[in-house]
Amino acid sequence: MITYLVNRDGGAPSALRDAGTGVVWFVVGLLLIWALPDAGIAWADADTGTTTASLLCMGLGCAASVVRRIAVPAGLLVGTAALVAGPVLGGRTEIGTVLVFTDLLYCAVVFPPRRTARAVAVAAGGLATVLGVAALLVAGTRTGTYAVLNLTLVVGLPLVWGLEVRRFRDLAAVERERAVAVERTAARERDAAVAAERARMARDLHDVVAGRLSAIALQSEAALQPGADPALVRRVLGTVRSSGVAALGEMRTMIGLLRDGDTADPPGAPARLTEVDTLLDEARAAGLSPVLCDGRGAAPLPAPVDLAGYRIVQESLTNAAKHAPGSDVTVRLTDTPDTPHSTSRLLVEVRNGPGRRSAAGPGLHGGTGLDGLRERARAVGGTLDAGPDDDGWLVRADLPLGPAEVGR
């Protein structure tokens, strides 16, 4: 019983609303008595009209509306008692008592737990059936038919209505839970994609920094040789300094975003945009028709930006092969010079047209690949956008060549 005393709709405010409902039912019952005094159900041979007992029974049924949602069985029992007590005590049942009973029966199959609602529906339906059959057998066909119709209106209609409302409420709850589960799964997939991209970025950064530090160690060893030429020592120290400054800049670019180094895969040679022709050869082998439009200057790119641009082109070509097999692909690389108001930038655009064969499956178009690419662009202070472009798909990255605003 304690379970039913828990208000699922907001505690005291819900009880106050239900109390107001009870008052409305009582007022409606009084208006019906005033406007249609003969509309009540008379059980005695001589109908004397509304009695004090019938009014009290109607008031008792209306009072049960206060707990129509927070203590459903108790409210239905009180309403049933008021319906039965009317003919016993006053020989009459007011229409208001019948109306409030139908409301309580409806609530008894909508608001309580599923097992309780099912038990109420079976008990009320079974009792109504027994009473209808008994009326047909005892009172004759005409009177029994009226009794069956009345039982259908008073018991059957609120039961069917309440059960249908309950079914749709349960379906809506299941759909809400399913939507929440799907959103959680999608969030986990996005987080996994970002984590995987960060791990690969960490390995790439390890390759770059390790290479620079190895060069520093070798050059320092040469400078420390006995009898080394002072001019050579100065040149070596200058190279060591420039390499160290470059390595520190690259580390500062991404260290705030990357997780601890991932040693699952052994470090390899870092990929650069100078190797983009290799990616195009692989794309051709996969059935694409790629074209490179390289409008960059001769100045070398910062290592993090070089790595980011390479990975963006690589992933875009891979997903074009998945989702638009056989399509024409244009890879465009351009850079912008420094201006008084902005630093130079590298623009990477990969556009594929419609595929000539059926797509293989999910990937960059609506999958988690974009999350990894955006994370890589964000790590060097840039942005990445992707979406439909006419009848194809366009990936566009804007990567600054100056100091990256990490985490912006």
Side-chain angles (χ1 to χ4, degrees):
M1 191 66 177
I2 296 177
T3 304
Y4 308 124
L5 294 177
V6 178
N7 186 352
R8 300 183 178 188
D9 297 316
S14 176
L16 291 175
R17 289 196 300 270
D18 290 340
T21 301
V23 172
V24 170
W25 279 125
F26 190 74
V27 172
V28 169
L30 292 177
L31 290 175
L32 288 173
I33 292 173
W34 173 74
L36 301 171
D38 298 330
I41 304 172
W43 300 93
D45 293 336
D47 183 16
T48 59
T50 300
T51 63
T52 302
S54 65
L55 279 177
L56 290 176
C57 290
M58 185 176 71
L60 179 63
C62 294
S65 293
V66 177
V67 292
R68 62 200 283 266
R69 282 184 287 184
I70 61 176
V72 176
L76 181 60
L77 288 175
V78 173
T80 304
L83 188 68
V84 173
V88 174
L89 300 178
R92 179 183 174 88
T93 300
E94 302 298 341
I95 295 299
T97 307
V98 176
L99 292 177
V100 75
F101 171 79
T102 60
D103 180 58
L104 292 171
L105 183 57
Y106 166 84
C107 293
V109 294
V110 172
F111 296 112
R114 185 179 292 106
R115 181 178 299 179
T116 302
R118 188 180 298 114
V120 169
V122 171
L127 181 59
T129 301
V130 170
L131 292 176
V133 172
L136 287 172
L137 295 177
V138 175
T141 304
R142 182 181 179 84
T143 305
T145 301
Y146 283 130
V148 170
L149 290 175
N150 288 331
L151 287 170
T152 301
L153 291 174
V154 175
V155 178
L157 185 60
L159 277 182
V160 172
W161 188 9
L163 289 173
E164 280 298 297
V165 172
R166 178 61 180 262
R167 184 171 70 88
F168 283 110
R169 283 163 57 100
D170 291 344
L171 287 175
V174 170
E175 289 301 321
R176 282 195 298 270
E177 292 176 359
R178 183 179 302 170
V180 170
V182 169
E183 179 60 28
R184 288 176 179 171
T185 301
R188 286 196 295 269
E189 291 177 352
R190 288 193 296 269
D191 292 343
V194 170
E197 189 66 20
R198 288 187 176 188
R200 187 162 65 171
M201 291 161 64
R203 291 194 295 271
D204 289 343
L205 183 60
H206 169 271
D207 297 337
V208 174
V209 176
R212 292 189 182 277
L213 293 179
S214 297
I216 289 173
L218 291 174
Q219 292 165 352
S220 300
E221 184 178 359
L224 291 174
Q225 294 296 325
D229 181 33
L232 174 63
V233 171
R234 290 184 62 85
R235 286 199 303 272
V236 168
L237 291 178
T239 304
V240 167
R241 181 184 181 281
S242 62
S243 297
V245 170
L248 287 173
E250 292 163 1
M251 291 181 65
R252 279 195 299 267
T253 299
M254 286 189 261
I255 198 65
L257 290 176
L258 301 179
R259 68 179 191 180
D260 293 338
D262 187 346
T263 58
D265 295 332
R272 301 293 182 112
L273 277 176
T274 53
E275 303 172 20
V276 71
D277 289 334
T278 303
L279 294 179
L280 300 183
D281 291 339
E282 294 174 356
R284 292 187 186 95
L288 298 176
S289 299
V291 175
L292 174 63
C293 299
D294 193 347
R296 295 175 297 156
L301 299 175
V305 175
D306 210 353
L307 290 169
Y310 179 91
R311 294 302 186 195
I312 290 169
V313 173
Q314 182 184 42
E315 294 297 331
S316 300
L317 290 174
T318 299
N319 284 279
K322 288 181 180 179
H323 295 281
S327 63
D328 296 327
V329 182
T330 301
V331 178
R332 190 179 304 276
L333 305 174
T334 56
D335 54 14
T336 61
D338 285 323
T339 67
H341 303 290
S342 64
T343 60
S344 59
R345 314 184 75 81
L346 172 67
L347 303 180
V348 180
E349 294 183 352
V350 182
R351 184 194 183 279
N352 63 268
R356 298 188 178 95
R357 301 190 301 274
S358 59
L364 183 64
H365 298 57
T368 58
L370 281 177
D371 296 307
L373 294 185
R374 289 194 181 98
E375 183 67 19
R376 180 171 287 276
R378 189 182 301 116
V380 296
T383 59
L384 183 140
D385 298 306
D389 182 62
D390 293 334
D391 56 351
W393 187 267
L394 174 65
V395 177
R396 186 178 189 278
D398 184 352
L399 310 176
L401 299 179
E405 299 176 18
V406 177
R408 73 175 180 179

